């Protein structure tokens, strides 16, 4: 089977990052411990369920640079332009209860800081839906919020729907999405049919 291009690019970035970074990979704090999705979700500033409408290349800048790149953010960097991008997203539900963002379902937002970085990747594909942990910087720019240096973007899977439905009250979801309304009895019946 052919390997998807994003996987190849991510592998290349991680290999180059380990070599060129000098330090050899990610440097997490010595006392770092992984946190559950539920714990991180409580700490995330904004949580949304959204579909990616379009992807746009981002220039090298303050939110998207690789540690081995030389020169100040904003300067021209060879080869880095294809690694970083922003996404136009459309909310499929009102934001989760307790979120700092107050916009209704159907709203379109721009999300930057996506791409392949040395220790992680914040990647999405056009046309797919995701659960996003987001934060807003001092210039009101939306960025992935990798709480505890862990994943900030979760694909729309049955397992993730179940997890987020138990953590948050999403409301006013679009009719096309049967989002976050699960019944364990229904799931057992469906599993038995398969």
């Amino acid at each position: 089977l052919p390997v998807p291009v994003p996987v190849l690019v991510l592998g290349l970035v991680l290999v180059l990052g380990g070599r060129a970074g000098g330090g050899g990979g990610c440097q997490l704090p010595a006392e770092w411990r992984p946190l559950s999705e539920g714990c991180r979700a409580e700490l995330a500033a904004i949580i949304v369920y959204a579909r990616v409408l379009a992807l746009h290349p981002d220039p090298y800048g303050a939110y998207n640079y690789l540690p081995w790149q030389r020169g100040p953010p904003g300067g021209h960097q060879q080869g880095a332009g294809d690694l970083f991008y922003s996404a136009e997203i459309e909310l499929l539900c009102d934001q989760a209860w307790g979120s700092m963002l107050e916009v209704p379902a159907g709203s379109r937002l721009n999300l930057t800081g996506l791409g392949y970085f040395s220790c992680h990747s914040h990647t999405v594909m056009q046309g797919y839906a995701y659960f996003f942990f987001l934060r807003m910087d001092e210039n009101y720019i939306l960025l992935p919020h990798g709480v505890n240096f862990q994943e900030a973007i979760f694909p729309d899977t049955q397992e993730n729907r179940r997890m987020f439905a138990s953590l948050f009250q999403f409301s006013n979801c679009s009719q096309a999405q049967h989002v976050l309304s699960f019944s364990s009895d229904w799931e057992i019946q469906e599993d038995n049919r398969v």
Side-chain angles (χ1 to χ4, degrees):
L1 292 172
V3 179
V5 173
V7 173
L8 289 173
V9 171
L10 177 59
L12 177 63
V13 168
L14 292 175
V15 168
L16 291 175
R19 287 185 190 158
C26 301
Q27 296 296 319
L28 293 172
E31 66 279 355
W32 182 86
R33 299 290 179 268
L35 295 177
S36 69
E37 287 84 357
C39 184
R40 289 184 292 125
E42 288 182 18
L43 299 172
I46 301 166
I47 299 175
V48 298
Y49 176 62
R51 178 181 305 121
V52 177
L53 300 175
L55 301 176
H56 308 285
D58 265 354
Y60 172 78
Y63 297 112
N64 51 10
Y65 65 92
L66 298 170
W68 63 84
Q69 292 172 323
R70 304 291 184 244
H76 180 68
Q77 299 294 318
Q78 287 290 86
D82 295 339
L83 298 177
F84 307 116
Y85 56 95
S86 60
E88 180 183 351
I89 61 173
E90 178 182 23
L91 299 187
L92 298 176
C93 299
D94 289 349
Q95 77 284 345
W97 179 84
S99 178
M100 293 175 61
L101 184 68
E102 294 186 20
V103 292
S107 297
R108 292 183 176 192
L109 306 169
N110 287 319
L111 174 61
T112 194
L114 298 170
Y116 302 95
F117 300 87
S118 60
C119 293
H120 63 277
S121 69
H122 293 308
T123 59
V124 296
M125 293 178 61
Q126 185 172 335
Y128 288 86
Y130 299 88
F131 295 92
F132 294 93
F133 289 3
L134 304 176
R135 67 181 179 88
M136 192 177 292
D137 75 357
E138 62 277 356
N139 296 316
Y140 303 103
I141 296 173
L142 286 174
L143 302 162
H145 190 184
V147 177
N148 195 43
F149 306 103
Q150 289 179 260
E151 186 59 49
I153 301 171
F154 303 85
D156 182 15
T157 64
Q158 289 295 327
E159 182 179 333
N160 286 339
R161 285 184 182 201
R162 189 173 16 264
M163 174 181 57
F164 285 105
S166 67
L167 295 173
F168 296 100
Q169 291 291 35
F170 288 86
S171 60
N172 193 26
C173 296
S174 66
Q175 298 291 20
Q177 303 291 327
H178 308 303
V179 178
L180 309 174
S181 56
F182 291 102
S183 162
S184 58
D185 295 336
W186 180 84
E187 287 178 2
I188 291 168
Q189 290 173 358
E190 288 300 306
D191 290 343
N192 290 336
R193 281 188 203 164
V194 176

